[in-house]
Amino acid sequence: MSRKKIALIGGGQIGGVLAQLAAMRQLGDVVMYDIVEDMPQGKTLDIAEASRIDGFDVSVKGTNDYKDIAGADIVIITAGLPRKPGMSRDDLLTTNAKIMKTVAENVKQYAPGSIVIIISNPLDAMVTLFKKVSGFDANRVMGQAGVLDSSRFATFIAWELGVSVKDVNAMVLGGHGDTMVPIVRYANVNGIPAMELLEKKYGDKAKAKEVMNQMVERTKMAGGEVVKLLKTGSAFYSPASAAIAMAEAILYDEKRVLPVCAYLNGEFGVNGYYVGVPAVLGSNGVEKVIEFELDNEEKALLDNSVKAVTNLIADMERLGF
Ligand code: TXD
């Protein structure tokens, strides 16, 4: 079996952690592309020089030439600019859509057999545009949001209940924005409903609900909480970990059930849009979207989130993409 190849488009904050994690877990040979001259070469040289210490023997290389991504099995995209002072949402959408269009054309040309995980914001729009420009089948183009948002939710529940986060299962669906939908009803600790444990802890249903609501709100705003503390950028360790978990599920054909920004064909009543839903990830990418019954409140929240996504896509189309 030949070694797998992972191409990273964008060698910024998240790209750097992706390269290090992919190397340390020996997922395959890593190529990091960025438009900034020398920077991806410098970052990957730094990572490669730790190989003796960390004990990995995959190759880690940086490049400014798309030719070097040829033959990639997985492409993870973080290319794009963050919002700068004075920049409107439309300005950012236009800038990043231009970048994503170029990225998609090059991935199509140089890595036509790859499976693509997109991280760049605004996520739901960037995934949609990549699929449109590349013409790749929907199962081979997905976005990362839910794995991270769910991990944040699980982390807050674990802290609140004083249990290991390894035993907490929690899922967040919907678009990657303030309208995301943490599914409280199914949040559990090794199968025991988290709400039941909160009620036991506080001996009061109303108080338990209030504490859960606080965790739901913190999850929705978790990206902003990190931005506020960092002041010069957004979260980068955890988004990289999330995308690596998705890449592993694909490379090792794990059939993991993860919340993924996936193309919907009528599932959850949505047709022709990318939305965060549980899906089976394996060697064919998004192999199956898993539908389940939502109660009325969850359904209303998901509809609201889908509306935010359709508005975003309409904005992008209005801007000519
Ligand atoms: O969960 C999620 N999906 C996210 C998404 C969580 C956190 C941050 N999220 C978004 O990821 C964030 O809003 C950004 O749109 C991306 C990447 O975040 P990162 O923190 O890595 O941004 P950087 O450090 O600014 O890196 C972006 C890199 C930088 O090195 C640029 O030189 C490069 O993108 N860039 C390009 N690469 C290739 N091709 C082109 N055209 C290009 N333009 C800029």
Side-chain angles (χ1 to χ4, degrees):
M1 203 170 76
S2 69
R3 219 182 259 171
K4 297 287 186 183
K5 179 164 172 177
I6 295 107
L8 309 175
I9 312 295
Q13 295 277 75
I14 300 177
V17 182
L18 283 171
Q20 192 180 28
L21 287 176
M24 288 181 73
R25 296 185 187 203
Q26 305 213 83
L27 295 190
D29 292 330
V30 179
V31 174
M32 177 197 279
Y33 169 92
D34 202 288
I35 41 161
V36 179
E37 262 181 46
D38 293 341
M39 184 273 283
Q41 291 85 342
K43 269 198 187 179
T44 50
L45 177 63
D46 188 17
I47 292 169
E49 285 170 355
S51 60
R52 178 65 186 88
I53 307 162
D54 288 318
F56 58 84
D57 48 20
V58 294
S59 96
V60 190
K61 291 207 172 111
T63 183
N64 305 113
D65 188 342
Y66 269 110
K67 283 196 191 92
D68 294 326
I69 73 164
D73 297 282
I74 299 235
V75 177
I76 308 179
I77 303 172
T78 57
L81 298 187
R83 199 149 108 178
K84 298 208 178 74
M87 223 175 165
S88 73
R89 211 171 132 267
D90 274 4
D91 292 341
L92 182 72
L93 190 54
T94 305
T95 307
N96 283 355
K98 271 189 200 146
I99 292 172
M100 191 54 69
K101 193 161 177 272
T102 311
V103 171
E105 284 161 357
N106 281 287
V107 172
K108 182 182 179 180
Q109 182 173 352
Y110 293 105
S114 60
I115 293 179
V116 180
I117 301 169
I118 293 155
I119 304 185
S120 314
N121 271 332
L123 183 77
D124 307 286
M126 294 302 106
V127 182
T128 305
L129 183 63
F130 184 98
K131 179 179 180 297
K132 185 174 162 187
V133 175
S134 68
F136 281 17
D137 289 340
N139 63 302
R140 292 204 283 131
V141 182
M142 69 197 84
Q144 186 303 114
V147 174
L148 169 57
D149 297 329
S150 301
S151 175
R152 284 168 166 162
F153 190 27
T155 303
F156 301 146
I157 292 171
W159 287 342
E160 170 60 33
L161 291 173
V163 300
S164 166
V165 72
K166 286 187 204 165
D167 293 317
V168 179
N169 296 299
M171 192 168 51
V172 179
L173 306 181
H176 185 55
D178 303 348
T179 61
M180 68 178 77
V181 189
I183 303 290
V184 171
R185 200 162 45 105
Y186 288 133
N188 69 76
V189 178
N190 229 338
I192 307 161
M195 276 312 296
E196 192 177 321
L197 295 174
L198 277 176
E199 282 165 18
K200 284 229 165 63
K201 176 173 172 182
Y202 290 101
D204 176 12
K205 277 197 168 160
K207 176 68 184 166
K209 211 163 176 215
E210 185 193 320
V211 171
M212 177 55 87
N213 281 345
Q214 283 165 359
M215 292 193 284
V216 164
E217 287 312 308
R218 188 172 180 192
T219 301
K220 291 191 202 169
M221 301 299 159
E225 188 181 352
V226 174
V227 167
K228 208 167 153 211
L229 292 165
L230 291 180
K231 294 183 183 75
T232 55
S234 48
F236 56 102
Y237 295 109
S238 55
S241 291
I244 291 291
M246 293 167 70
E248 273 177 349
I250 295 164
L251 289 168
Y252 301 140
D253 195 23
E254 289 174 337
K255 316 286 187 202
R256 284 201 67 189
V257 178
L258 296 173
V260 177
C261 177
Y263 190 79
L264 298 186
N265 262 318
E267 296 93 342
F268 293 96
V270 180
N271 221 327
Y273 286 97
Y274 271 95
V275 177
V277 291
V280 175
L281 285 195
S283 57
N284 288 317
V286 177
E287 298 190 346
K288 187 178 167 34
V289 169
I290 300 207
E291 267 191 292
F292 64 96
E293 283 304 313
L294 297 173
D295 66 22
N296 287 341
E297 193 188 338
E298 291 157 355
K299 210 172 165 347
L301 289 170
L302 188 66
D303 286 349
N304 180 45
S305 190
V306 170
K307 195 149 184 284
V309 173
T310 57
N311 285 342
L312 177 68
I313 302 306
D315 282 352
M316 187 167 72
E317 284 170 358
R318 177 175 52 76
L319 293 165
F321 293 95

